[in-house]
Amino acid sequence: MSIWWSLHLRREAASVPLARRLLLGTMETAGVDPDISFDLSLALSEACANAVEHGGRVAGPGCGVPGAGAHDGSGVPDGWADAEGAGDADDADGSGAYHVTAYLDGDRCRIEVSDSGPGFPAATVARRRPSLAEHGRGLHLIEELADHVRFRNRPGRGAVVSFDKMLKWRDDALLKVS
């Protein structure tokens, strides 16, 4: 059995705890170990906060980061989709939005946050940033909390943060992998 959900959220600070609470509730109901749930919820909060702060459209042609290549060390299992198509639609009110998708499948949880902003700087995508830099500490925290992380750009269409973590289960878990 597996669980997945997807949210289309406005780029507002109030959306961050909404996404976090939905993830925590899902994992608690499924029977995921509370420490794993906490790590993933903190990583999700950082990714959502980044999308709220930086994920808006940039005026003018060529928004996005040209030539930024993706570094993929994710080890994503076959059959797990990327949020490739997420974030393509403009909002009617122009306020901007971002998308969160979570998959609990077997012994792994995968989370993707995508936005429609200018994308990550090339150094972020290539993972060449000092951990004590003024900006980017949240991304470093995501890397520390998750097992596999991928930052990538969709030139002219925004950025995607994907991360996954192996799950541990409570003894009374509903979805415990046998």
mmCIF file of all heavy atoms in Angstrom, residues 12 27 59 67 70 75 82 93 106-107 118 123 131 137 158-159:
data_model
loop_
_atom_site.group_PDB
_atom_site.id
_atom_site.type_symbol
_atom_site.label_atom_id
_atom_site.label_comp_id
_atom_site.label_asym_id
_atom_site.label_seq_id
_atom_site.Cartn_x
_atom_site.Cartn_y
_atom_site.Cartn_z
ATOM 1 N N GLU A 12 2.342 32.138 0.248
ATOM 2 C CA GLU A 12 2.074 32.883 1.466
ATOM 3 C C GLU A 12 2.650 32.100 2.637
ATOM 4 O O GLU A 12 2.644 30.869 2.631
ATOM 5 C CB GLU A 12 0.570 33.060 1.671
ATOM 6 C CG GLU A 12 -0.103 33.848 0.577
ATOM 7 C CD GLU A 12 -1.621 33.887 0.723
ATOM 8 O OE1 GLU A 12 -2.182 33.159 1.574
ATOM 9 O OE2 GLU A 12 -2.225 34.643 -0.037
ATOM 10 N N MET A 27 1.888 10.889 8.076
ATOM 11 C CA MET A 27 2.885 9.947 8.590
ATOM 12 C C MET A 27 2.477 9.370 9.937
ATOM 13 O O MET A 27 2.693 8.186 10.202
ATOM 14 C CB MET A 27 4.255 10.614 8.646
ATOM 15 C CG MET A 27 4.806 10.867 7.249
ATOM 16 S SD MET A 27 6.535 11.346 7.193
ATOM 17 C CE MET A 27 6.475 12.928 7.962
ATOM 18 N N ALA A 59 9.985 39.201 -13.862
ATOM 19 C CA ALA A 59 9.488 39.937 -15.021
ATOM 20 C C ALA A 59 10.500 39.891 -16.156
ATOM 21 O O ALA A 59 11.704 39.880 -15.940
ATOM 22 C CB ALA A 59 9.211 41.388 -14.636
ATOM 23 N N GLY A 67 21.495 27.534 -18.663
ATOM 24 C CA GLY A 67 22.686 26.705 -18.593
ATOM 25 C C GLY A 67 22.924 26.020 -17.271
ATOM 26 O O GLY A 67 23.971 25.427 -17.069
ATOM 27 N N ALA A 70 21.590 20.061 -13.808
ATOM 28 C CA ALA A 70 21.150 19.409 -12.580
ATOM 29 C C ALA A 70 22.184 18.379 -12.144
ATOM 30 O O ALA A 70 22.746 17.676 -12.960
ATOM 31 C CB ALA A 70 19.802 18.739 -12.800
ATOM 32 N N GLY A 75 19.195 8.741 -6.578
ATOM 33 C CA GLY A 75 18.901 7.329 -6.434
ATOM 34 C C GLY A 75 17.409 7.048 -6.403
ATOM 35 O O GLY A 75 16.946 6.209 -5.656
ATOM 36 N N ASP A 82 8.861 12.673 -11.166
ATOM 37 C CA ASP A 82 9.343 13.993 -10.776
ATOM 38 C C ASP A 82 8.195 14.969 -10.915
ATOM 39 O O ASP A 82 7.220 14.705 -11.589
ATOM 40 C CB ASP A 82 10.473 14.466 -11.710
ATOM 41 C CG ASP A 82 11.791 13.801 -11.382
ATOM 42 O OD1 ASP A 82 11.923 13.308 -10.248
ATOM 43 O OD2 ASP A 82 12.676 13.783 -12.248
ATOM 44 N N ASP A 93 -4.719 35.340 -10.300
ATOM 45 C CA ASP A 93 -4.497 36.617 -9.634
ATOM 46 C C ASP A 93 -3.037 37.070 -9.694
ATOM 47 O O ASP A 93 -2.707 38.122 -9.164
ATOM 48 C CB ASP A 93 -4.963 36.544 -8.184
ATOM 49 C CG ASP A 93 -4.159 35.559 -7.355
ATOM 50 O OD1 ASP A 93 -3.246 34.904 -7.891
ATOM 51 O OD2 ASP A 93 -4.446 35.443 -6.165
ATOM 52 N N GLY A 106 6.124 1.977 0.301
ATOM 53 C CA GLY A 106 7.029 0.968 0.837
ATOM 54 C C GLY A 106 7.779 1.511 2.028
ATOM 55 O O GLY A 106 7.184 1.981 2.991
ATOM 56 N N ASP A 107 9.087 1.485 1.932
ATOM 57 C CA ASP A 107 9.909 1.929 3.053
ATOM 58 C C ASP A 107 10.552 3.289 2.798
ATOM 59 O O ASP A 107 11.549 3.630 3.408
ATOM 60 C CB ASP A 107 10.984 0.881 3.361
ATOM 61 C CG ASP A 107 11.952 0.673 2.206
ATOM 62 O OD1 ASP A 107 11.700 1.209 1.104
ATOM 63 O OD2 ASP A 107 12.961 -0.033 2.407
ATOM 64 N N PRO A 118 12.618 32.120 -10.547
ATOM 65 C CA PRO A 118 13.751 32.191 -11.468
ATOM 66 C C PRO A 118 14.672 30.979 -11.431
ATOM 67 O O PRO A 118 15.550 30.845 -12.265
ATOM 68 C CB PRO A 118 14.503 33.444 -11.003
ATOM 69 C CG PRO A 118 14.158 33.553 -9.552
ATOM 70 C CD PRO A 118 12.743 33.047 -9.431
ATOM 71 N N ALA A 123 25.451 27.546 -8.706
ATOM 72 C CA ALA A 123 26.240 26.955 -7.619
ATOM 73 C C ALA A 123 25.370 26.086 -6.714
ATOM 74 O O ALA A 123 25.833 25.074 -6.191
ATOM 75 C CB ALA A 123 26.922 28.046 -6.799
ATOM 76 N N SER A 131 28.424 25.944 3.694
ATOM 77 C CA SER A 131 27.295 25.716 4.599
ATOM 78 C C SER A 131 27.033 26.906 5.513
ATOM 79 O O SER A 131 25.968 26.998 6.100
ATOM 80 C CB SER A 131 27.536 24.458 5.433
ATOM 81 O OG SER A 131 28.685 24.605 6.220
ATOM 82 N N ARG A 137 21.228 28.141 3.865
ATOM 83 C CA ARG A 137 21.341 27.253 5.024
ATOM 84 C C ARG A 137 20.165 26.291 5.102
ATOM 85 O O ARG A 137 20.314 25.162 5.550
ATOM 86 C CB ARG A 137 21.474 28.052 6.311
ATOM 87 C CG ARG A 137 22.845 28.684 6.452
ATOM 88 C CD ARG A 137 22.924 29.470 7.698
ATOM 89 N NE ARG A 137 22.181 30.712 7.475
ATOM 90 C CZ ARG A 137 22.335 31.813 8.156
ATOM 91 N NH1 ARG A 137 23.176 31.862 9.137
ATOM 92 N NH2 ARG A 137 21.639 32.886 7.881
ATOM 93 N N GLY A 158 10.920 27.616 -13.296
ATOM 94 C CA GLY A 158 11.081 27.502 -11.859
ATOM 95 C C GLY A 158 12.071 26.451 -11.408
ATOM 96 O O GLY A 158 12.864 25.931 -12.183
ATOM 97 N N ALA A 159 12.001 26.170 -10.117
ATOM 98 C CA ALA A 159 12.933 25.258 -9.459
ATOM 99 C C ALA A 159 12.170 24.100 -8.824
ATOM 100 O O ALA A 159 10.989 24.229 -8.492
ATOM 101 C CB ALA A 159 13.713 26.008 -8.383
#
